[in-house]
Amino acid sequence: MNLKALYKLGYGLYIVSSRNGDRLNGQIANTVFQVTSEPPTIAVSINKSNLTHEFIKESKVLAVSVLSQDTPLSFIGHFGFKSGRDMDKLEGINYKAGVTQAPVVTDNALAYLEAKVIQQVDVGTHTIFIGELAGADVLKDGEPMTYAYYHQVKRGTTPKTAPSYVEEKKEAVPKMAKYRCTVCGWVYDPELGDSDGGIKPGTPFEEIPDDWVCPVCGAAKSDFERME
């Protein structure tokens, strides 16, 4: 069975956020879809081990920010590869309190949706939260980030807690060795470089400045391993 067939399914890239009392949190998600139009309802799939899952179960509210195609990898990595248990993920991030009081992230967002949870479906590692819309608006024009664009153009990686995660075998070493981030799995390809980090195509990993960090999760250069 070739699980890469799952990559052909259409996904977007979103920040799903919620609250628990005075505490706020958010995470990257790719499984958000409309269920009905009257009343308007959406469904969101969240891993049970994530703090956002805990917040949604407790407060029964959530917000979804639709990310734009030009969202920096570092912004996606902040919400996708860091835990709200270790840091305040909304510190330094522009957001507003929605009608449900869930935090609506406005940085790099084209639109947002707010929902009150009306049903939960246990699907093993994840819970599908079904919510009736309580608020929605378009923030600006632009192309939304698709999961395909994130992988193929931005060369982003998938957290193991994501519903669409598929483990891949390591690639053979090319003329110039690739290096993989041991924290998030992002691969530095010397032929492509890192445009966000100012590293030109054709730059061997060994020649990257020591203060360079992973464009996705911010891990240090020393956290990369050579792909054999």
Side-chain angles (χ1 to χ4, degrees), residues 6 11 23 49 52 58 65 82 96 98 104 133 141 153 162 181 207:
L6 293 170
Y11 296 95
R23 298 178 64 195
S49 66
T52 304
E58 181 67 26
S65 297
K82 299 180 186 297
K96 65 177 183 178
V104 176
L133 285 192
D141 293 330
V153 180
C181 177
E207 296 181 10

Side-chain angles (χ1 to χ4, degrees), residues 173-185:
V173 178
K175 294 179 181 179
M176 287 190 291
K178 296 180 182 180
Y179 282 75
R180 186 190 304 274
C181 177
T182 58
V183 177
C184 73

Side-chain angles (χ1 to χ4, degrees), residues 13 28 73 76 80-81 147 150-151 154-160 162 165 180-181 183-187 214 216-217:
L13 208 62
I28 290 293
L73 273 177
I76 298 171
F81 291 93
Y147 210 49
Y150 169 67
H151 277 288
K154 303 286 282 188
R155 296 190 295 123
T157 55
T158 304
K160 291 184 178 181
Y165 175 78
R180 186 190 304 274
C181 177
V183 177
C184 73
W186 186 80
V187 175
C214 175
V216 174
C217 70

Side-chain angles (χ1 to χ4, degrees), residues 12-18 24-32 42 44-46 52 56 62-68 71-72 74-80 89-90 93-95 102-114 145:
L13 208 62
Y14 316 95
I15 293 177
V16 176
S17 49
S18 188
L24 308 175
N25 196 57
Q27 66 163 78
I28 290 293
N30 65 0
T31 310
V32 178
I42 60 173
V44 180
S45 180
I46 302 293
T52 304
I56 296 174
L62 61 88
V64 177
S65 297
V66 181
L67 294 180
S68 64
T71 300
S74 58
F75 186 82
I76 298 171
H78 174 81
F79 283 97
K89 293 173 75 170
L90 293 179
I93 302 295
N94 289 315
Y95 69 92
V104 176
V105 174
T106 56
D107 281 342
N108 301 300
L110 300 179
Y112 70 87
L113 309 167
E114 283 188 83
M145 176 86 75

Side-chain angles (χ1 to χ4, degrees), residues 4 7 151 158 165-171 180 187:
K4 287 188 177 181
Y7 292 162
H151 277 288
T158 304
Y165 175 78
V166 176
E167 186 173 2
E168 296 184 8
K169 295 181 180 179
K170 292 184 178 180
E171 301 176 8
R180 186 190 304 274
V187 175

Side-chain angles (χ1 to χ4, degrees), residues 179 181 186-188 193-199 205 208-216 218-222 224:
Y179 282 75
C181 177
W186 186 80
V187 175
Y188 175 77
D194 170 25
S195 58
D196 287 353
I199 307 301
F205 184 81
I208 296 176
D210 291 337
D211 60 355
W212 174 83
V213 298
C214 175
V216 174
K221 180 182 176 182
S222 58
F224 278 70

